[in-house]
């Protein structure tokens, strides 16, 4: 490339990155190890009128509500998902209780602001009534939709109709042991199905029972595996993730004016077919990739556990009630950050590896145990036994972690109501009520009455 062309290219796109440089960058940032003491949570919510979850809220009304929320002095970051779901992302906290306190205060402020607008938040893993409808029309989401549509309709469901509790934890220590990053990486993937089953909360779609306790997880298992699949667990974690990221499909290539995203005048982004980031670095077509392209590429990978310096656990359905999200956050934090609980949890879930990642089977979230967790919840005996042991270990650990009585009582009540009975919130929905309405699941009609 002539020197003049190079200067123009760098001004427009940035400095190109080679294959070895890209591998080194991914390897260096995926697990940032240190004392595991940082906790965070990302909460997604369906937004609707009180007791009218089945009715869509006009986009203009949603935009006005979100503008009002962004004006609030919150600790958490407010963002909007493509279908209008509201997301609160906490700042990294030094402890479980610091995270719980900050997010609880933010949620109280959000609800207080939404009440006079006649809007409310509901924690469900998937919208039970409304079909997927995208309200955000930006180049990223236009391109993402085009890419995901190649694998079928599940991509649009994922973008527009699902909501989760995403738990963020430190990668861990560099050294081996219960708090080492290698152990925490493996624990996250083996504990993942237990969390799917224990907190499944999305059994209905389009007003009908789907046959899955976690329809949200079933949706994720149906989208492009190059985007949503996990890397192998029998490879060193940094090496596995680096290889996975480099060989994952490139979802889109941004236009030159990507810095103006959101102004309504953006050029469409290219949606390549059959292009991995590795092959892009080798071919340099349609243009050489840059460090920014690599960073953006990593944001388009959605495995159940995503290493972003920290570990992002993405498998938990959004939870019912104002404070339902606290239970998965508290239980998971205890099982990772308390050494005794971490050792108990690992011994408990280690035998699940035969079903979670059997040789020759698809990776999570498509492996047999992950699918059984999504379909059956804690009706699966092995998952129920593992959940009981893990909840007990977490309950023992929470006082050592300084958890408040409110948090400890919430975990204990959840264990009594669901885990001890082999149930999950999805079973409550199938037994009777969604958003204050009776759901007639017996005849699969999804009738409000």
């Amino acid at each position: 490339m002539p020197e003049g062309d190079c200067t123009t290219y760098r001004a427009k796109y940035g400095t190109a990155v080679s294959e070895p440089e890209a591998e080194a960058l991914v390897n260096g940032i995926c697990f940032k190890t240190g004392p595991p003491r940082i906790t965070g949570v990302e909460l997604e919510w369906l937004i609707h009128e009180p007791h009218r979850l089945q009715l869509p809220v006009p986009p203009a009304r949603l935009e006005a509500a979100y503008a009002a929320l962004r004006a609030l002095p919150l600790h958490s970051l407010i963002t909007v998902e493509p279908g209008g779901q509201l997301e609160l992302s906490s700042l990294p906290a030094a402890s479980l209780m610091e995270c719980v306190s900050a997010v609880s205060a933010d949620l109280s402020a959000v609800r207080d602001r939404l009440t006079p607008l006649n809007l409310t938040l509901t924690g469900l893993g998937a919208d039970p009534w409304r079909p997927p409808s995208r309200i955000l029309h930006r180049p990223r989401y236009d391109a993402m939709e085009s890419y995901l549509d190649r694998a079928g309709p599940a991509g649009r469901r994922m973008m527009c109709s699902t909501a989760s509790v995403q738990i963020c934890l430190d990668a861990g220590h560099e050294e081996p042991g219960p708090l080492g990053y290698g152990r925490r990486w493996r624990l996250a993937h083996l504990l993942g199905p237990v969390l799917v089953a224990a907190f499944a909360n999305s059994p209905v779609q389009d007003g009908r029972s789907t046959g899955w306790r976690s329809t949200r997880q079933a949706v994720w298992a149906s989208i492009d595996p190059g985007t949503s699949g996990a890397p192998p667990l029998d490879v060193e974690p940094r090496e596995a993730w680096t290889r996975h990221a480099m060989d994952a499909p490139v979802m889109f290539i941004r236009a030159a004016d990507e810095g103006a995203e959101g102004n309504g005048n953006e050029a469409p982004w290219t949606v390549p077919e059959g292009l991995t980031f590795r092959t892009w670095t080798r071919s340099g077509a349609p243009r050489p990739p840059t460090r920014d392209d690599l960073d953006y590429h990593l944001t388009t990978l959605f495995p159940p556990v995503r290493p972003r310096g920290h570990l992002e656990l993405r498998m938990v359905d959004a939870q019912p009630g104002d404070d339902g999200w606290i239970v998965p956050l508290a239980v998971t934090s205890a099982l990772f950050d308390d050494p005794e609980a971490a050792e108990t949890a690992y011994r408990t879930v280690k035998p699940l590896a035969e079903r979670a990642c059997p040789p020759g089977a698809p990776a999570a979230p498509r492996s047999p145990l992950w699918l059984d967790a999504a379909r059956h919840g804690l009706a699966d005996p092995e998952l129920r036994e593992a959940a009981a042991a893990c909840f007990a270990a977490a309950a023992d650990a929470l006082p050592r972690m300084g958890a408040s009585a409110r948090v400890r009582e919430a975990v204990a009540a959840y264990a009594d109501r669901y885990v001890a009975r082999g149930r999950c919130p999805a079973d409550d929905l199938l037994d009777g009520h969604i958003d204050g309405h009776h759901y007639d699941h017996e005849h699969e009609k999804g009738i409000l009455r």
Side-chain angles (χ1 to χ4, degrees), residues 121-188:
L121 304 176
T122 288
L124 284 168
D127 194 312
W129 301 108
R130 299 172 292 187
S133 178
R134 189 156 59 92
I135 70 164
L136 296 185
H137 297 278
R138 298 174 182 168
R140 173 184 172 95
Y141 298 126
D142 293 346
M144 183 181 291
E145 183 176 274
S146 296
Y147 174 86
L148 293 173
D149 278 350
R150 293 171 180 168
R156 296 193 182 202
R157 291 273 182 190
M158 178 273 286
M159 292 174 66
C160 301
S161 301
T162 62
S164 67
V165 175
Q166 297 178 19
I167 300 157
C168 300
L169 303 166
D170 257 13
H173 292 293
E174 192 70 28
E175 299 79 12
L179 301 183
Y181 79 95
R183 170 71 71 84
R184 287 162 75 89
W185 175 248
R186 187 169 181 82
L187 173 61

Side-chain angles (χ1 to χ4, degrees), residues 33 50 61 64 82 155-156 158 164 171 237 249 253 294 306 309 336 409 413 446:
T33 55
R61 189 174 170 198
R156 296 193 182 202
M158 178 273 286
S164 67
I253 298 175
L294 175 61
R306 184 163 63 174
F336 275 78
E409 290 165 3

Side-chain angles (χ1 to χ4, degrees), residues 9 16-23 242-243 246-248 250 253 274-290:
Y9 179 87
V17 63
S18 68
E19 180 181 354
E21 289 170 337
E23 288 183 322
T242 299
R243 187 185 307 165
M246 291 294 293
D247 293 330
V250 174
I253 298 175
L275 180 70
T276 68
F277 202 88
R278 188 184 304 280
T279 56
W280 191 11
T281 63
R282 292 176 177 178
S283 69
R287 61 170 176 80
T290 67

Side-chain angles (χ1 to χ4, degrees), residues 241-321:
W241 180 251
T242 299
R243 187 185 307 165
H244 180 79
M246 291 294 293
D247 293 330
V250 174
M251 186 175 287
F252 42 67
I253 298 175
R254 296 172 298 160
D257 65 346
E258 71 270 13
E261 185 182 358
N263 65 13
N265 299 312
E266 307 91 345
W269 294 0
T270 302
V271 183
E273 191 160 5
L275 180 70
T276 68
F277 202 88
R278 188 184 304 280
T279 56
W280 191 11
T281 63
R282 292 176 177 178
S283 69
R287 61 170 176 80
T290 67
R291 168 65 187 270
D292 285 347
D293 289 318
L294 175 61
D295 291 342
Y296 223 87
H297 170 65
L298 296 176
T299 72
T300 67
L301 304 181
F302 306 117
V305 183
R306 184 163 63 174
R308 304 184 66 185
H310 60 275
L311 298 181
E312 183 181 80
L313 279 67
R314 305 173 52 86
M315 70 286 296
V316 176
D317 280 1
Q319 293 298 289

Side-chain angles (χ1 to χ4, degrees), residues 348-409:
T348 297
V349 300
K350 189 176 180 181
L352 299 178
E354 294 183 7
R355 290 172 66 193
C357 45
R366 295 165 187 79
S367 69
L369 186 63
W370 282 80
L371 294 177
D372 286 344
R375 186 180 294 279
H376 304 298
L378 293 185
D380 182 291
E382 195 173 17
L383 288 168
R384 177 181 180 178
E385 182 179 355
C390 287
F391 266 73
D396 288 343
L398 286 172
R400 295 192 292 267
M401 297 174 63
S404 67
R406 169 196 174 203
V407 170
R408 299 196 308 270
E409 290 165 3

Side-chain angles (χ1 to χ4, degrees), residues 82 98 113 172 191 296 322 351 354 426 440:
E98 181 180 308
R113 188 66 188 89
L191 181 65
Y296 223 87
D322 289 355
E354 294 183 7
D440 186 359

